[in-house]
Amino acid sequence: MGLTKQYLRYVASAVFGVIGSQKANIAFVTLRGGEKGRYVAVGACEHVFIWDVRKAEKVLILEGKKHEVTYLCPSPDGVHIAVGYEDGGVRIFNLLNGESNISFSGHKSAVSVIRYDALGARLVTGSRDTDVIVWDIINECGLYRLKGHKDAITQILFLESKNLLITSSKDSFVKWWDLDTQHCFKTMVGHRTEVWGMVMLNKERRLLTGSADSELRAWDIQYIEEGKEVGEPQEKKVRTLLENEEEDEEGLDEEPEERILSCKKAGSVLREARDRVVSLVTDAKAKVLACHGLDATLEVFTVLSEEEVQKKMDRKLKKAKKKAKFQEGEEHGPEPVVERKLSDEIQKLANIKASSKIRSMDCLAVPNGEMKLALLLQNNTVETYTLNTTEKNPTGTKTSRLTLSGHRTDVRTLAFSSDNIAILSASGETVKVWNRSTLQVIRTMGCEYALCSLFVPGDRQIILGTKSGKIQLFDLASGSLLETTDAHAGALWSMCLSPDQRGIVTGGADKTVKFWDFELIKDQDSGKNKRLTVKHTRTLQLDEDVLCVRFSPDQRLLAVSLLDCTVKIFYTDTLKFFLSLYGHKLPVLCLDISHDSALIGTGSADRNVKIWGLDFGDCHRSMFAHDDSVMFLQFVPKTHLFFTAGKDRKIKQWDADKFEHIQTLEGHHREVWCLAISPNGDHIVSSSHDKSLRLWERTREPIILEEEKEMEREAEFEESLAKGDEPVVPGETKGEAEPAGKKTIETVKAAERIMEAVELYREESEKLEEHSAACKAAGKEPKAFKLIYFPSVMYRYVLWISLTLSSVFLFSELEVSLLVLPFPYVPDLLKLFNGYVQQGLEVELVCRCLFFLLRVHFGQITSNQMLLSVIDELRTNTISKVREIRDVLGFNSAGLQFLQREIESKEDVMFFADATDRFEEKKRKRKKRERAVLTIT
């Protein structure tokens, strides 16, 4: 049976127009040994863009899948970057090639903070689900999950000298975790509101926290060595207890006996801003501190070293002695004392005023004493500043500003040129023309708040309708504004080109529809050349505000949607009333007429789309289209297919003849305001509140509606399956540390695959036993083929399934799959694991799975007498095989070290060091040349 009607699939082609998304932070990165401070990484919807701030170019795109980026963290070696997403996933990208080979999935909601340890071997992530997870990057597995906070995690810090972790949260608590024992040993409750940020200063001896007020609180950290409390006098212990009780009254929840460290409040640093702290960061050596709130001001502080503070205190003491001597004359008074304050250690350096509100920032110290600052602003802009910290009163100097590749406000109107090459986008302050193939900006022109737009026939001029009711006419060749015409007393909501291409029609909030003709007049500036203008010819007065106007393609009718939820149809020539289309419960925000002037589609704020016939005004079908207001509707040229865009972030394609939903285009992360379809129907461009423009292109792949509906039902079922209860380890009570894995549809499917493989192994084993028994009863020899081939195939099939899952999943996810596995399958797996270990097949993977199953099902396994012999064999075999592997690794390591020493003694150079030295020499020469060029210029 052939397809009665073929639909072609539209797929996402590109994301452009966004410089940096507001949900993610900004971070300095280094590409291929390039200059530090030249490249910044920002989240761009589901992707990560790497910008060269010097050239204002996008140099690398780290492509995401579906969910929006929420946090970025470069690795200590600068080669990788960890990216957190809205769904709780984490991916690690290689900045050399842009590929991602490691991904973690453990959180249930958006990742709010990521931190590497000093070596870059462990990764800690915090989320809005209140959990903190520690990941092992080398083994690509989750180590454990730390639970204890009651609200979203805001910041995480590693203590490099100790194996400790500090976490802050919106629940107003700061918790200290011992990673050796995986428990919280201290909770600081000295904050009255959310803790939004924190940093370590003074070689991990001071903690600075930022809250919802203008105060940065400082805490002194003192590490308690083992045995320090032994042999203390009784008076000292009593004094310590009294001090701890006083600290408890001040807001510190400390035990009388401190086990690892003590934390005391040292004072506060006051900020100028009165709102909450948004970002609180330091450079790598914690010498400069920068913070900002919800406004456009960045405050920079300098953190003095102990030597600098001591010199300052000596000067103060000297000055105090001199003053006391002058006041007392010859008399000798008491020795003056100068009290050391927190303001002597942390001093205000400068204030930097950005051009808009700051969303995120990062700082980087360079060797010449300069501090580079990168700011991600809330108006889709990235700015970089330099600050010379060696000066007495430094001022921030703006070095670059990325604005060309995006709009400052939401794009509210889009249009395609007649040749399908140029795309027009207009927002509240600028109008831009893009090249569709290269996605580069061709023209940028300042305008008023634009609501509708179109290309003038010939594609040399564009017309905008503004919120103030004006028509603005621009020339693309010169990029200049030709004229501004006052068209309506209120907002000009809609504009449509007449089918004969001789004029336009506009509808506004002043309850009028106006007709305009194109005319050529003499240019007053040049005097000789002619330029285009619009001339008002007719006016149609109505009873309600006009929201949308459209000509029928035969120019016989004019459709007007009004604020009273109706659509009025008028004759174009006489402006006489023809039809009234009523049925929507809320105003019709968009409408369009098909190419043959037979159908009209209307989209309303009541979330419905209605298809009407233009012959008699009858409603063919009313369809529930979106979960929120339908913002835009347009027919595909020369078809009865149309697209709708809604505030529910989706774009949908429909068939107006069969009244069927064809496909849904998902990708935008905020409300979709408008879209435009190219004249040939091959491309769609859409704009959203997430500041992005998305390009969609039509492929040659056909869509079969039954298959699409079946896939949607399967996706819904799988989503509901993954949202079930988390598997529980028998006998284990929930504490502060839990496994890092998360139940997903993939882990459920993996468990099913393991069960199928074990069942298949059982069936084939039973068949083999039956065959052997039958042959024995008949006095025949069993077939050698079945005796040798079938057990071997089934035996290795289970191992192949395990290997496939381990290559696809992290071991923490494989653990969840094994946890879901029912116990009746475990004895068979243990017997199989014993055979694998004996033969030396994937011993490491088998041992990890074996130990996990033993820990989970310990009670049932030990109570099963049938498994005692298997466990005893496993104990012997695993110890011997692991020792063999360890011996092989040690032998290989010793052999490689011997080869290294041999090569070094022969060539008289350090192995692997020569190439690095040459690279450093080239780098020094290049910097020397750049300084020479700068000196000459």
Side-chain angles (χ1 to χ4, degrees), residues 64 84 105 128 131 192 214 285 319 345 365 385 427 429 467 662 666 683 699 789 830 843 902:
S105 178
R128 291 182 195 159
D131 291 349
R192 298 178 181 176
S214 60
K285 295 183 179 180
K319 191 175 180 180
E345 302 178 29
Y385 293 82
S427 65
E429 80 295 330
K467 197 173 184 179
I662 301 171
E666 295 187 13
H683 297 89
T699 63
Y789 182 71
L830 293 180
V843 176
E902 286 291 314

mmCIF file of all heavy atoms in Angstrom, residues 64 84 105 128 131 192 214 285 319 345 365 385 427 429 467 662 666 683 699 789 830 843 902:
data_model
loop_
_atom_site.group_PDB
_atom_site.id
_atom_site.type_symbol
_atom_site.label_atom_id
_atom_site.label_comp_id
_atom_site.label_asym_id
_atom_site.label_seq_id
_atom_site.Cartn_x
_atom_site.Cartn_y
_atom_site.Cartn_z
ATOM 1 N N GLY A 64 25.606 20.427 22.203
ATOM 2 C CA GLY A 64 24.816 19.661 23.156
ATOM 3 C C GLY A 64 23.741 18.872 22.437
ATOM 4 O O GLY A 64 23.679 18.830 21.209
ATOM 5 N N GLY A 84 27.534 21.330 32.653
ATOM 6 C CA GLY A 84 26.335 20.832 33.318
ATOM 7 C C GLY A 84 25.086 21.270 32.580
ATOM 8 O O GLY A 84 25.039 22.368 32.005
ATOM 9 N N SER A 105 25.493 11.009 34.564
ATOM 10 C CA SER A 105 24.076 11.273 34.791
ATOM 11 C C SER A 105 23.725 10.781 36.182
ATOM 12 O O SER A 105 23.717 9.575 36.445
ATOM 13 C CB SER A 105 23.224 10.549 33.747
ATOM 14 O OG SER A 105 21.853 10.774 33.989
ATOM 15 N N ARG A 128 20.177 21.475 41.813
ATOM 16 C CA ARG A 128 18.982 22.008 42.466
ATOM 17 C C ARG A 128 18.220 20.927 43.230
ATOM 18 O O ARG A 128 17.299 21.252 43.980
ATOM 19 C CB ARG A 128 18.057 22.638 41.416
ATOM 20 C CG ARG A 128 18.621 23.906 40.801
ATOM 21 C CD ARG A 128 17.649 24.497 39.821
ATOM 22 N NE ARG A 128 18.293 25.495 38.970
ATOM 23 C CZ ARG A 128 17.820 25.884 37.803
ATOM 24 N NH1 ARG A 128 16.705 25.364 37.340
ATOM 25 N NH2 ARG A 128 18.442 26.787 37.086
ATOM 26 N N ASP A 131 21.468 17.547 46.072
ATOM 27 C CA ASP A 131 22.498 16.517 46.217
ATOM 28 C C ASP A 131 23.846 17.007 45.704
ATOM 29 O O ASP A 131 23.914 17.852 44.801
ATOM 30 C CB ASP A 131 22.119 15.252 45.449
ATOM 31 C CG ASP A 131 20.939 14.536 46.075
ATOM 32 O OD1 ASP A 131 20.578 14.910 47.208
ATOM 33 O OD2 ASP A 131 20.375 13.623 45.442
ATOM 34 N N ARG A 192 21.727 34.120 57.957
ATOM 35 C CA ARG A 192 20.280 34.226 58.140
ATOM 36 C C ARG A 192 19.518 34.010 56.838
ATOM 37 O O ARG A 192 18.323 33.745 56.858
ATOM 38 C CB ARG A 192 19.926 35.597 58.723
ATOM 39 C CG ARG A 192 20.534 35.836 60.097
ATOM 40 C CD ARG A 192 20.192 37.217 60.617
ATOM 41 N NE ARG A 192 20.793 37.462 61.933
ATOM 42 C CZ ARG A 192 20.724 38.608 62.577
ATOM 43 N NH1 ARG A 192 20.054 39.625 62.034
ATOM 44 N NH2 ARG A 192 21.285 38.740 63.757
ATOM 45 N N SER A 214 24.399 42.937 51.981
ATOM 46 C CA SER A 214 25.594 43.627 51.481
ATOM 47 C C SER A 214 26.852 43.250 52.244
ATOM 48 O O SER A 214 27.872 43.910 52.116
ATOM 49 C CB SER A 214 25.386 45.140 51.567
ATOM 50 O OG SER A 214 25.163 45.531 52.910
ATOM 51 N N LYS A 285 45.500 32.435 42.449
ATOM 52 C CA LYS A 285 46.275 32.553 43.676
ATOM 53 C C LYS A 285 45.527 33.265 44.794
ATOM 54 O O LYS A 285 46.104 33.545 45.845
ATOM 55 C CB LYS A 285 47.586 33.278 43.378
ATOM 56 C CG LYS A 285 48.508 32.504 42.446
ATOM 57 C CD LYS A 285 49.818 33.231 42.240
ATOM 58 C CE LYS A 285 50.749 32.433 41.322
ATOM 59 N NZ LYS A 285 52.037 33.122 41.107
ATOM 60 N N LYS A 319 53.135 55.099 63.413
ATOM 61 C CA LYS A 319 52.378 56.347 63.377
ATOM 62 C C LYS A 319 51.677 56.599 64.711
ATOM 63 O O LYS A 319 51.613 57.732 65.197
ATOM 64 C CB LYS A 319 51.352 56.265 62.244
ATOM 65 C CG LYS A 319 50.678 57.573 61.919
ATOM 66 C CD LYS A 319 49.780 57.416 60.708
ATOM 67 C CE LYS A 319 49.095 58.733 60.366
ATOM 68 N NZ LYS A 319 48.218 58.597 59.180
ATOM 69 N N GLU A 345 43.324 43.548 55.715
ATOM 70 C CA GLU A 345 43.727 42.428 54.866
ATOM 71 C C GLU A 345 43.017 42.447 53.520
ATOM 72 O O GLU A 345 43.590 42.073 52.502
ATOM 73 C CB GLU A 345 43.426 41.110 55.593
ATOM 74 C CG GLU A 345 44.109 40.989 56.945
ATOM 75 C CD GLU A 345 43.745 39.699 57.642
ATOM 76 O OE1 GLU A 345 43.467 38.711 56.937
ATOM 77 O OE2 GLU A 345 43.735 39.671 58.884
ATOM 78 N N ALA A 365 44.390 36.231 36.294
ATOM 79 C CA ALA A 365 45.583 37.042 36.557
ATOM 80 C C ALA A 365 46.651 36.702 35.536
ATOM 81 O O ALA A 365 46.907 35.528 35.247
ATOM 82 C CB ALA A 365 46.100 36.782 37.967
ATOM 83 N N TYR A 385 37.370 43.374 30.463
ATOM 84 C CA TYR A 385 38.052 44.526 31.044
ATOM 85 C C TYR A 385 39.435 44.089 31.522
ATOM 86 O O TYR A 385 39.666 42.910 31.817
ATOM 87 C CB TYR A 385 37.272 45.093 32.231
ATOM 88 C CG TYR A 385 35.954 45.713 31.886
ATOM 89 C CD1 TYR A 385 34.811 44.943 31.717
ATOM 90 C CD2 TYR A 385 35.826 47.087 31.728
ATOM 91 C CE1 TYR A 385 33.587 45.506 31.402
ATOM 92 C CE2 TYR A 385 34.613 47.671 31.416
ATOM 93 C CZ TYR A 385 33.500 46.876 31.261
ATOM 94 O OH TYR A 385 32.295 47.449 30.949
ATOM 95 N N SER A 427 14.308 43.720 16.667
ATOM 96 C CA SER A 427 14.017 43.657 18.102
ATOM 97 C C SER A 427 13.670 45.051 18.603
ATOM 98 O O SER A 427 13.264 45.921 17.834
ATOM 99 C CB SER A 427 15.225 43.087 18.846
ATOM 100 O OG SER A 427 16.332 43.956 18.735
ATOM 101 N N GLU A 429 15.653 47.378 19.652
ATOM 102 C CA GLU A 429 16.622 48.454 19.431
ATOM 103 C C GLU A 429 17.324 48.388 18.084
ATOM 104 O O GLU A 429 17.795 49.403 17.590
ATOM 105 C CB GLU A 429 17.665 48.460 20.562
ATOM 106 C CG GLU A 429 18.798 47.433 20.455
ATOM 107 C CD GLU A 429 18.343 45.999 20.550
ATOM 108 O OE1 GLU A 429 17.334 45.762 21.240
ATOM 109 O OE2 GLU A 429 18.978 45.123 19.955
ATOM 110 N N LYS A 467 6.229 49.873 17.710
ATOM 111 C CA LYS A 467 5.301 49.907 18.834
ATOM 112 C C LYS A 467 4.690 51.290 19.015
ATOM 113 O O LYS A 467 3.604 51.432 19.592
ATOM 114 C CB LYS A 467 6.041 49.495 20.105
ATOM 115 C CG LYS A 467 5.162 49.085 21.250
ATOM 116 C CD LYS A 467 5.978 48.535 22.392
ATOM 117 C CE LYS A 467 5.081 48.035 23.520
ATOM 118 N NZ LYS A 467 5.866 47.482 24.636
ATOM 119 N N ILE A 662 1.352 16.874 12.077
ATOM 120 C CA ILE A 662 2.382 16.155 11.324
ATOM 121 C C ILE A 662 3.640 15.968 12.164
ATOM 122 O O ILE A 662 4.112 14.848 12.353
ATOM 123 C CB ILE A 662 2.708 16.905 10.011
ATOM 124 C CG1 ILE A 662 1.445 17.024 9.159
ATOM 125 C CG2 ILE A 662 3.816 16.195 9.251
ATOM 126 C CD1 ILE A 662 1.595 17.909 7.958
ATOM 127 N N GLU A 666 11.053 20.784 18.353
ATOM 128 C CA GLU A 666 11.430 21.192 19.704
ATOM 129 C C GLU A 666 12.883 21.620 19.723
ATOM 130 O O GLU A 666 13.723 21.014 19.078
ATOM 131 C CB GLU A 666 11.219 20.039 20.690
ATOM 132 C CG GLU A 666 9.765 19.640 20.842
ATOM 133 C CD GLU A 666 9.584 18.615 21.935
ATOM 134 O OE1 GLU A 666 10.537 18.417 22.709
ATOM 135 O OE2 GLU A 666 8.506 18.011 22.014
ATOM 136 N N HIS A 683 13.081 26.321 4.133
ATOM 137 C CA HIS A 683 13.688 26.775 5.376
ATOM 138 C C HIS A 683 12.668 27.498 6.246
ATOM 139 O O HIS A 683 11.755 28.167 5.738
ATOM 140 C CB HIS A 683 14.879 27.710 5.104
ATOM 141 C CG HIS A 683 16.006 27.058 4.373
ATOM 142 N ND1 HIS A 683 16.074 27.041 3.006
ATOM 143 C CD2 HIS A 683 17.100 26.372 4.818
ATOM 144 C CE1 HIS A 683 17.167 26.389 2.623
ATOM 145 N NE2 HIS A 683 17.793 25.976 3.705
ATOM 146 N N THR A 699 14.089 18.279 4.784
ATOM 147 C CA THR A 699 14.892 17.183 4.248
ATOM 148 C C THR A 699 14.062 16.391 3.247
ATOM 149 O O THR A 699 12.894 16.698 2.991
ATOM 150 C CB THR A 699 15.360 16.258 5.383
ATOM 151 O OG1 THR A 699 14.209 15.664 6.002
ATOM 152 C CG2 THR A 699 16.140 17.037 6.427
ATOM 153 N N TYR A 789 29.794 -26.217 20.761
ATOM 154 C CA TYR A 789 29.485 -24.900 20.180
ATOM 155 C C TYR A 789 28.457 -24.124 20.995
ATOM 156 O O TYR A 789 28.682 -22.973 21.354
ATOM 157 C CB TYR A 789 28.997 -25.092 18.748
ATOM 158 C CG TYR A 789 28.688 -23.797 18.045
ATOM 159 C CD1 TYR A 789 29.711 -22.931 17.665
ATOM 160 C CD2 TYR A 789 27.382 -23.427 17.785
ATOM 161 C CE1 TYR A 789 29.430 -21.733 17.027
ATOM 162 C CE2 TYR A 789 27.086 -22.241 17.155
ATOM 163 C CZ TYR A 789 28.114 -21.398 16.780
ATOM 164 O OH TYR A 789 27.830 -20.215 16.161
ATOM 165 N N LEU A 830 26.522 -15.396 39.069
ATOM 166 C CA LEU A 830 27.701 -15.724 39.866
ATOM 167 C C LEU A 830 28.450 -16.913 39.272
ATOM 168 O O LEU A 830 29.690 -16.930 39.230
ATOM 169 C CB LEU A 830 27.286 -16.030 41.306
ATOM 170 C CG LEU A 830 26.726 -14.849 42.118
ATOM 171 C CD1 LEU A 830 26.357 -15.299 43.523
ATOM 172 C CD2 LEU A 830 27.723 -13.704 42.189
ATOM 173 N N VAL A 843 38.524 -9.558 33.531
ATOM 174 C CA VAL A 843 38.543 -9.794 34.979
ATOM 175 C C VAL A 843 38.151 -8.539 35.754
ATOM 176 O O VAL A 843 37.407 -8.604 36.742
ATOM 177 C CB VAL A 843 39.945 -10.283 35.409
ATOM 178 C CG1 VAL A 843 40.017 -10.441 36.926
ATOM 179 C CG2 VAL A 843 40.282 -11.595 34.728
ATOM 180 N N GLU A 902 67.150 3.930 29.313
ATOM 181 C CA GLU A 902 68.069 3.570 28.231
ATOM 182 C C GLU A 902 68.111 4.662 27.165
ATOM 183 O O GLU A 902 69.172 5.064 26.695
ATOM 184 C CB GLU A 902 67.632 2.241 27.610
ATOM 185 C CG GLU A 902 67.919 1.019 28.463
ATOM 186 C CD GLU A 902 69.409 0.750 28.572
ATOM 187 O OE1 GLU A 902 70.088 0.795 27.533
ATOM 188 O OE2 GLU A 902 69.887 0.542 29.701
#
